[in-house]
Amino acid sequence: MPLKIITADITTLRVDAIVNAANPGLLGGGGVDGAIHRAAGPALLQACRQLPESTPGVRCRTGEARITPGFDLPAHYVIHTVGPVWHGGTQGEPLLLERCYRNALRLLREHGLRTIAFPAISCGVYGYPTAPAAAVAIATLRDELSHAQQAGITLCCFSDNVSAVFQHALDAAAAGDTPFSAT
Ligand code: AR6
């Protein structure tokens, strides 16, 4: 399956698009968002400013995605998405997180792109616990890959600990496929 998990700084990846775990204003922030803006250069902020606001200060609602060029990044494009803030799992967080992955992949397809790298959306400042976030990410990406031919999806974690949690989720999901082969 063209889905791999790595430990790296996502701003170094030479893929068609990297995904930014942004906030609704899309004007930068901390974490991976800050790193992407620093590496892409000030033109990225200019491009984000030009995206239309749906309500004052909101360019991308939770679960949605927007695309800009990558400017000084090795990646050609940045797909900005806004993950859910973790409120204990009672505010529809899993579905909102799923939408982030699906809407990013929809934009990838619509732009004729093939390779994409995701960070662990919502797993930093937004406080989504890593294991349930990994389960949502893996289930959603496996489902997308079963419907569409994507050339390559990379889950780019920033530490080996987070990578291990995502790898465990991938291994568990893959093992869940095996009962059919036993019959
Ligand atoms: N490459 C890959 N992953 C990274 C990098 C990097 N260079 N830097 C951090 N991470 P976060 P969120 C990991 O907080 O939880 C921002 O201020 C990080 O270790 O970046 O969705 C936005 O503007 C963590 O595992 O995003 C929003 O306000 C993961 O990326 C808010 O934070 C996500 O952590 C979004 O919060």
Side-chain angles (χ1 to χ4, degrees):
M1 179 177 284
L3 171 58
K4 66 177 176 184
I5 295 159
I6 64 169
T7 305
D9 176 352
I10 201 167
T11 66
T12 65
L13 300 185
R14 198 168 291 280
V15 286
D16 292 340
I18 61 170
V19 174
N20 183 15
N23 59 63
L26 294 189
L27 298 182
V32 71
D33 194 4
I36 288 172
H37 274 270
R38 279 192 298 277
L44 180 59
L45 185 59
Q46 291 305 111
C48 288
R49 274 192 207 287
Q50 283 164 23
L51 295 169
E53 293 171 302
S54 55
T55 55
V58 175
R59 294 180 180 78
C60 185
R61 284 175 295 214
T62 304
E64 295 182 348
R66 302 284 184 270
I67 190 166
T68 65
F71 299 104
D72 294 346
L73 287 163
H76 296 300
Y77 292 88
V78 179
I79 295 176
H80 309 260
T81 189
V82 179
V85 176
W86 180 255
H87 291 290
T90 58
Q91 310 285 313
E93 293 95 327
L95 182 58
L96 291 167
L97 185 59
E98 177 181 331
R99 284 190 193 143
C100 290
Y101 287 95
R102 291 199 192 279
N103 283 324
L105 289 173
R106 182 179 50 75
L107 278 179
L108 189 80
R109 282 193 296 275
E110 286 174 2
H111 286 76
L113 309 174
R114 298 179 63 80
T115 55
I116 186 167
F118 287 91
I121 300 165
S122 285
C123 290
V125 173
Y126 280 0
Y128 208 124
T130 310
V136 169
I138 296 293
T140 305
L141 294 176
R142 281 171 54 89
D143 182 61
E144 288 278 335
L145 285 165
S146 72
H147 295 304
Q149 295 297 317
Q150 306 281 349
I153 299 176
T154 301
L155 277 162
C156 177
C157 302
F158 206 38
S159 72
D160 287 334
N161 285 349
V162 174
S163 288
V165 175
F166 275 75
Q167 189 63 53
H168 180 73
L170 179 57
D171 293 344
D177 286 344
T178 54
F180 296 102
S181 63
T183 59

